[in-house]
Amino acid sequence: MTTLTEATDEAAVRGKAPARRPRRKVDRLPYLLLLPCLAIIAVLLLWPLGQVVMMSFYKLDSVRQLRGDREWPWVGLANYAQILSDPFFRTVLRNTVLFAVANVALTMVLGTLVGLLLNRLGKKMATFVASCVMLAWATPALTGTIVWKWIFDDTSGLVTWLFNKLPDGLSTTLFGRSDWTGYGWFNDPLMFFGILTLVVVWHSFPFIAVSVLAGLKSVPTELQEAARVDGAGPWKVFWSVTFPMLRPVFGILVVLSTIWDFKVFTQQFVLAGGTQDRSTFMLSIYSYAEAFSPPPKYGLGSAIAVILTVILLVVTALYVRMVLKQEDES
């Protein structure tokens, strides 16, 4: 069989140039169809992001400056230097990272377990359970957080009522008090983050569960049955067969969960009742407080928002690179 190199040499000997394949015509229609979506993304995402980046290089402490009635003093990287040199920023960053790590881990574990449960149930029961679970995901964050705040209300909340129903001797022995009326569940930072984690995980795990369930439907049952025949238990089957095939799904879910948990704002703002308790600050609410709490510092708030965006981009890029490397090695 004549190779391309031999054909080229033979043509050169005969004094003829080798025949060139005609260039494939590029279909531009798909790119034209994407233009409206790209324009919407540019207007709704890229333009505001560009404005925030630009504002971070100015000293903005007045609404009149944002309206254009006053000049914007250029300060360069001074806002970033002030934020990064502030010891309180390191405390906020620590709170954000620890909260995100804990919530991503709990959300992934709980969502995966529920997804595995749904995969084992019958069709009707799985549909019923999935519909109930998705109610938490469908509930707006503001509405759900208000409900949870009422549950932990210090006078009429469900948790306060349940603790008051405990026998006085048992409650005093375990917790050091028998009357829970008026107890501030949100006053202690550790307790506050515990409740905030409960609210965020409750709202987030249904999406993980349904996504894992969709991935499980694509796993060939023959491989799982073969592993069971070889004597593998449920734990071994999951880690040896199911997890490797669902690794891309888990990779995407971890990235999305990390982004969402780093940006938690609504739940924290509602539970804390504003921006008064600085000991529970995370980056998103820290940016808001610096920008809008009197006296306003829009430049500093914008700089914190840019730092948060950069952190998310770096974390996401590193994780995606790690997942792709594992895929190449396997």
Side-chain angles (χ1 to χ4, degrees):
M1 184 175 180
T2 304
T3 64
L4 180 60
T5 304
E6 293 173 347
T8 304
D9 294 339
E10 184 178 353
V13 170
R14 294 180 180 179
K16 297 180 181 180
R20 294 183 178 180
R21 293 183 180 179
R23 290 187 177 181
R24 186 177 181 181
K25 188 177 180 180
V26 178
D27 188 3
R28 299 180 180 179
L29 180 60
Y31 299 97
L32 294 176
L33 295 176
L34 285 175
L35 285 179
C37 295
L38 295 177
I40 293 175
I41 292 175
V43 172
L44 298 181
L45 180 62
L46 298 182
W47 185 81
L49 180 60
Q51 290 292 309
V52 171
V53 174
M54 182 181 66
M55 290 168 59
S56 67
F57 296 109
Y58 291 88
K59 181 180 180 181
L60 303 174
D61 54 9
S62 173
V63 178
R64 295 178 60 187
Q65 288 177 310
L66 299 182
R67 294 175 179 172
D69 298 337
R70 291 175 54 186
E71 184 181 356
W72 290 20
W74 171 269
V75 295
L77 298 176
N79 289 327
Y80 293 96
Q82 180 177 344
I83 292 298
L84 295 176
S85 61
D86 187 358
F88 183 65
F89 171 77
R90 292 189 285 272
T91 301
V92 174
L93 182 61
R94 179 201 63 195
N95 292 345
T96 306
V97 172
L98 293 178
F99 175 82
V101 170
N103 277 262
V104 169
L106 291 174
T107 303
M108 292 299 300
V109 170
L110 181 59
T112 301
L113 292 176
V114 174
L116 292 171
L117 173 63
L118 292 174
N119 193 48
R120 298 289 296 271
L121 296 176
K123 185 176 181 181
K124 293 184 179 180
M125 182 58 68
T127 302
F128 173 75
V129 174
S131 301
C132 295
V133 167
M134 287 304 293
L135 287 176
W137 172 256
T139 303
L142 178 60
T143 305
T145 307
I146 292 175
V147 173
W148 279 104
K149 189 170 185 179
W150 170 81
I151 291 176
F152 285 92
D153 186 76
D154 59 355
T155 56
S156 58
L158 178 62
V159 174
T160 302
W161 178 81
L162 289 174
F163 273 79
N164 280 330
K165 289 298 181 180
L166 292 175
D168 292 344
L170 178 63
S171 181
T172 303
T173 302
L174 294 178
F175 307 107
R177 61 185 301 157
S178 58
D179 184 13
W180 293 88
T181 303
Y183 179 77
W185 296 98
F186 305 104
N187 294 340
D188 179 67
L190 186 60
M191 181 70 70
F192 175 84
F193 278 115
I195 298 174
L196 181 60
T197 298
L198 174 64
V199 175
V200 172
V201 172
W202 168 82
H203 188 262
S204 302
F205 87 90
F207 176 78
I208 307 297
V210 174
S211 299
V212 171
L213 176 62
L216 289 171
K217 297 299 183 181
S218 65
V219 177
T221 56
E222 295 82 2
L223 297 178
Q224 296 175 336
E225 291 296 334
R228 295 190 185 97
V229 170
D230 291 339
W235 183 258
K236 186 69 174 178
V237 170
F238 176 78
W239 283 110
S240 301
V241 179
T242 306
F243 182 78
M245 301 195 69
L246 294 184
R247 185 178 284 115
V249 176
F250 284 115
I252 295 174
L253 294 177
V254 168
V255 170
L256 292 176
S257 297
T258 302
I259 294 174
W260 293 335
D261 292 335
F262 260 90
K263 298 191 308 177
V264 166
F265 175 83
T266 302
Q267 295 91 330
Q268 182 177 13
F269 187 86
V270 173
L271 290 179
T275 59
Q276 293 81 13
D277 189 4
R278 293 175 60 87
S279 63
T280 59
F281 269 19
M282 292 189 291
L283 284 175
S284 56
I285 201 167
Y286 182 35
S287 173
Y288 173 86
E290 290 295 327
F292 297 104
S293 297
K297 297 181 285 291
Y298 302 111
L300 284 176
S302 299
I304 299 171
V306 172
I307 293 173
L308 174 59
T309 304
V310 171
I311 292 174
L312 287 176
L313 290 175
V314 171
V315 171
T316 303
L318 291 176
Y319 187 81
V320 170
R321 181 181 178 183
M322 181 182 67
V323 171
L324 293 177
K325 186 177 179 180
Q326 291 177 350
E327 289 294 327
D328 293 337
E329 292 177 352
S330 60

